[in-house]
Amino acid sequence: MNPEDIRHYGHMLYQAMQSRQSVRPLTEQAPDISIDDAYQISLQFLQHRLDAGERIVGKKIGLTSHAVQHMLGVDQPDFGYLTDKMVYSQGQEIDVGQSMIQPRAEGEIAFILKKDLMGPGISAADVLAATECVMPCFEIVDSRIESWQIKIQDTIADNASCGVLLLGDTAVSPRKLDLATCGMVVEKNGKIISTGAGAAALGSPVNCVAWLANTLGRFGIGLKAGEVILSGALVPLEWVQPGDYFSVSVGGIGQASVRFN
């Protein structure tokens, strides 16, 4: 794919986000699009956000659980960028009715780094040593591709289908936990809708962060001290409607909750 096409599709996705109007899958518009092309498009999409005054505050890994991969019809993880405009805190409401297209919520564990991580060669032990704390969180994913008809190239180009995220108000050291066995319970409007465990995401959320550091390292990109790193869903995605109330509890870490309007 030539640079002009990459700029075109990056601009198209940014406009789709701004207008809340989804677009046809890029894999239909450009059937020969490669994964490398998709990551270049995602950087163009990101650059539009940065030009508008946003700043990068972290990164996310997506599609780590087999349940989510099966649900969306993809077969490998991907990654995207988090900006300050995407971040909400416990107690804030998220206005999905006016700001998102087709939102879905997933419970995750967020890592807050105290040291840089630069792959390749990053191990799970390196991740634990570089992490200040972990927090319960929700990622609200939102595809700019119509009807979530995505292949891996579509979601990669679309900043890994990231919408916004909400961080809980509890934080603990990951060195005090077994993140592979910690349990997660998600409730929607007072009813349990899903349960999961850390092992659902590449065997452990720690492995997810290591994968991300090593994958980004091949592009010359590092994870930086102070960044928020979303380690991937431990439970299936759940559709969100205005008026919904979600909570997620993670064993040994705490709870996060969010109301959508």
Side-chain angles (χ1 to χ4, degrees), residues 137-157:
C137 74
F138 276 108
E139 181 186 359
I140 317 305
V141 295
D142 188 31
S143 181
R144 271 62 65 171
I145 306 300
E146 62 185 20
S147 302
W148 278 96
Q149 295 300 305
I150 61 172
K151 295 181 179 178
I152 186 67
Q153 296 96 322
D154 294 297
T155 186
I156 286 172

Side-chain angles (χ1 to χ4, degrees), residues 42-237:
S42 76
L43 289 175
Q44 287 291 320
F45 183 8
L46 173 67
Q47 189 60 54
H48 282 292
R49 301 187 74 141
L50 299 181
D51 291 345
E54 298 180 44
R55 59 184 178 85
I56 295 171
V57 296
K59 301 175 179 79
K60 63 154 284 186
I61 177 173
L63 307 173
T64 52
S65 80
H66 291 301
V68 173
Q69 288 181 6
H70 178 74
M71 181 181 292
L72 298 180
V74 298
D75 61 1
Q76 59 183 288
D78 65 352
F79 66 83
Y81 294 84
L82 308 175
T83 73
D84 56 331
K85 190 176 179 180
M86 299 180 187
V87 182
Y88 289 77
S89 300
Q90 181 77 14
Q92 288 185 282
E93 292 188 350
I94 297 178
D95 186 355
V96 293
Q98 297 297 319
S99 63
M100 305 182 80
I101 303 171
Q102 42 193 351
R104 302 166 89 170
E106 55 187 16
E108 299 195 19
I109 297 172
F111 287 64
I112 312 299
L113 299 184
K114 62 180 179 180
K115 298 179 182 177
D116 293 354
L117 283 172
M118 184 72 187
I122 296 298
S123 67
D126 294 327
V127 171
L128 290 173
T131 301
E132 177 70 32
C133 62
V134 290
M135 305 175 71
C137 74
F138 276 108
E139 181 186 359
I140 317 305
V141 295
D142 188 31
S143 181
R144 271 62 65 171
I145 306 300
E146 62 185 20
S147 302
W148 278 96
Q149 295 300 305
I150 61 172
K151 295 181 179 178
I152 186 67
Q153 296 96 322
D154 294 297
T155 186
I156 286 172
D158 192 21
N159 194 35
S161 303
C162 193
V164 299
L165 64 138
L166 179 134
L167 297 172
D169 57 6
T170 58
V172 300
S173 168
R175 292 168 291 281
K176 298 179 179 179
L177 303 166
D178 180 355
L179 289 173
T181 60
C182 68
M184 174 177 285
V185 178
V186 177
E187 295 185 16
K188 178 180 180 180
N189 300 327
K191 296 182 179 180
I192 294 175
I193 57 169
S194 59
T195 60
L202 301 184
S204 169
V206 181
N207 297 337
C208 296
V209 179
W211 179 92
L212 182 58
N214 290 324
T215 300
L216 285 172
R218 297 201 297 269
F219 295 88
I221 301 168
L223 307 183
K224 299 180 180 180
E227 286 192 330
V228 178
I229 309 298
L230 300 189
S231 59
L234 306 184
V235 292
L237 300 172

Side-chain angles (χ1 to χ4, degrees), residues 19-53:
S19 66
R20 297 180 61 240
Q21 297 291 322
S22 59
V23 299
R24 279 199 307 127
L26 273 59
T27 48
E28 290 183 5
Q29 299 186 52
D32 61 344
I33 184 174
S34 69
I35 286 178
D36 284 347
D37 291 335
Y39 277 121
Q40 291 300 315
I41 292 168
S42 76
L43 289 175
Q44 287 291 320
F45 183 8
L46 173 67
Q47 189 60 54
H48 282 292
R49 301 187 74 141
L50 299 181
D51 291 345

